[in-house]
Amino acid sequence: MQMTRAIFVYSLLMTAVVVASNILVQYPLSGELAGINLGDLLTYGAFTYPVAFLITDLTNRQFGPSTARKVVFMGFVVGVVLSFVTSQPRIAIASGSAYLAGQLLDISVFNRLRRLDWWKAPLMGSLIGSALDTAIFFSLSFAPVFSMIGPNDDFAVAWAPVLGIFSAEAPRWISWALGDLSVKILVGLIMLLPYGALMSMLKPTIPARSA
């Protein structure tokens, strides 16, 4: 009963994060900071999506990788279906592909490191998973080579200074990807705080090396 309830709660939270991120990633930040056009650097989705890794890692810690994969797949199915309703099909396809690859890699890395210091498994899992997620998502979403899955976003493919500060220019989506990954790394570090705070409440129910 405890596991069923936990899977339901984790899956619900995961779905909410995925759908919210799919909507927010379509909106670049507005305004400027220190002369940098934030719209050339980040989308709002960069701030919400890293929470998905926290949910996966908490599930993995408490119930093990097998249950964590169930939560990931549930979030994938429901999240992708809702994403087709709330966002563009190309974004939904890119999100589903990146989400599944990144989360499954996170689970694998976390499980290999779970016996080490408490912070190493969630941090390394989220960082490595985020890197793969970012590469897949932004490539499928905005790179012109993948236009067969949906129309190109003119603003995303337009050339602009890299990260909004360098003289070299590149398609704006590349700066978004770099900015997104930077924020994911920062948020991944911040997410260690709630993970550490919840450790005493969410005791593992499986052997440390269960797969």
Side-chain angles (χ1 to χ4, degrees):
M1 180 63 71
Q2 179 191 14
M3 181 178 293
T4 301
R5 187 184 304 114
I7 291 176
F8 174 77
V9 172
Y10 284 136
S11 299
L12 191 63
L13 291 172
M14 184 70 82
T15 298
V17 169
V18 171
V19 173
S21 298
N22 287 352
I23 295 173
L24 293 174
V25 78
Q26 299 174 83
Y27 298 96
L29 265 65
S30 56
E32 293 187 356
L33 179 64
I36 301 173
N37 183 355
L38 295 178
D40 291 337
L41 184 61
L42 286 171
T43 69
Y44 285 100
F47 298 93
T48 57
Y49 188 75
V51 179
F53 290 97
L54 172 64
I55 297 170
T56 298
D57 292 342
L58 289 173
T59 309
N60 201 346
R61 169 179 166 77
Q62 189 174 10
F63 298 111
S66 179
T67 300
R69 291 186 192 102
K70 292 179 182 177
V71 169
V72 165
F73 281 118
M74 286 180 152
F76 170 77
V77 172
V78 179
V80 168
V81 170
L82 292 179
S83 294
F84 271 101
V85 177
T86 58
S87 60
Q88 300 172 19
R90 182 170 177 176
I91 296 294
I93 292 171
S95 172
S97 302
Y99 163 83
L100 198 57
Q103 294 298 321
L104 292 178
L105 181 58
D106 173 37
I107 291 171
S108 178
V109 172
F110 184 100
N111 201 48
R112 288 180 177 275
L113 302 180
R114 67 190 309 142
R115 280 188 167 182
L116 302 181
D117 294 338
W118 70 268
W119 56 270
K120 291 183 178 179
L123 180 60
M124 295 307 298
S126 64
L127 293 185
I128 295 174
S130 291
L132 179 63
D133 178 281
T134 298
I136 293 175
F137 176 78
F138 282 91
S139 295
L140 291 181
S141 292
F142 304 115
V145 70
F146 294 111
S147 61
M148 76 286 292
I149 62 175
N152 291 323
D153 182 321
D154 292 339
F155 185 73
V157 300
W159 285 60
V162 175
L163 295 177
I165 57 175
F166 295 104
S167 58
E169 293 192 346
R172 192 173 275 111
W173 69 268
I174 293 179
S175 291
W176 287 350
L178 294 173
D180 178 89
L181 182 58
S182 299
V183 170
K184 283 177 179 175
I185 292 172
L186 176 61
V187 177
L189 290 169
I190 295 173
M191 286 296 101
L192 289 176
L193 297 177
Y195 179 88
L198 291 169
M199 281 182 63
S200 60
M201 299 172 55
L202 305 176
K203 297 293 186 181
T205 60
I206 60 153
R209 293 293 295 174
S210 175

